[in-house]
Amino acid sequence: MSATGSYNFQLAKWLDEKLKPLSLNTYSITDIFTFADEITNMKFNESDLLVSYDVTLLFTNVPLDETIIIIADKAFTDDWFNKQHGLIITRSDLTELLQLATKRQPL
């Protein structure tokens, strides 16, 4: 179900923008075009097997409370969240915002 236009859509969008850097690493690919570019430039042996997993539908199985705690812990390591974005909020404020954006979705 799309949450576009719901009371917390803009909050979720804002949080996604601010927290996205925490999820990026050398193993992340942001879109299908980047993936296509990367595999085009790779060298494979004939015996290699390339496997791609689409995990989009697995997000319903993510333990939300634990995930929120992990995100808040990571965001407040060395006060990264506030320093990165010029904000002054607490870890508990961020936790509450994440709960509002994820657990309190309208039906």
Side-chain angles (χ1 to χ4, degrees), residues 2-19:
S2 173
T4 304
S6 65
Y7 73 94
N8 56 359
F9 176 74
Q10 291 299 324
L11 171 61
K13 199 169 154 182
W14 182 83
L15 286 167
D16 178 59
E17 173 190 307
K18 301 293 185 213
L19 296 169

Side-chain angles (χ1 to χ4, degrees), residues 54-105:
D54 181 357
V55 296
T56 304
L57 298 177
L58 294 178
F59 288 121
T60 57
N61 296 323
V62 172
L64 200 48
D65 291 324
E66 291 174 43
T67 303
I68 288 172
I69 291 168
I70 291 167
I71 290 169
D73 286 347
K74 199 168 182 181
F76 276 88
T77 299
D78 298 324
D79 201 29
W80 174 87
F81 190 77
N82 285 321
K83 290 176 183 175
Q84 180 73 21
H85 303 295
L87 299 170
I88 305 172
I89 68 170
T90 66
R91 184 189 179 286
S92 62
D93 289 339
L94 179 62
T95 300
E96 179 69 18
L97 291 173
L98 287 165
Q99 289 174 346
L100 283 169
T102 58
K103 295 178 71 173
R104 301 186 192 145
Q105 290 291 326

Side-chain angles (χ1 to χ4, degrees), residues 2-54:
S2 173
T4 304
S6 65
Y7 73 94
N8 56 359
F9 176 74
Q10 291 299 324
L11 171 61
K13 199 169 154 182
W14 182 83
L15 286 167
D16 178 59
E17 173 190 307
K18 301 293 185 213
L19 296 169
K20 184 157 298 277
L22 293 176
S23 67
L24 300 177
N25 59 50
T26 58
Y27 305 106
S28 298
I29 297 178
T30 55
D31 57 54
I32 191 68
F33 303 108
T34 304
F35 175 72
D37 288 343
E38 287 196 22
I39 64 167
T40 300
N41 297 320
M42 293 176 95
K43 303 288 186 228
F44 296 100
N45 296 319
E46 285 187 35
S47 62
D48 288 343
L49 179 67
L50 177 64
V51 178
S52 173
Y53 296 100
D54 181 357

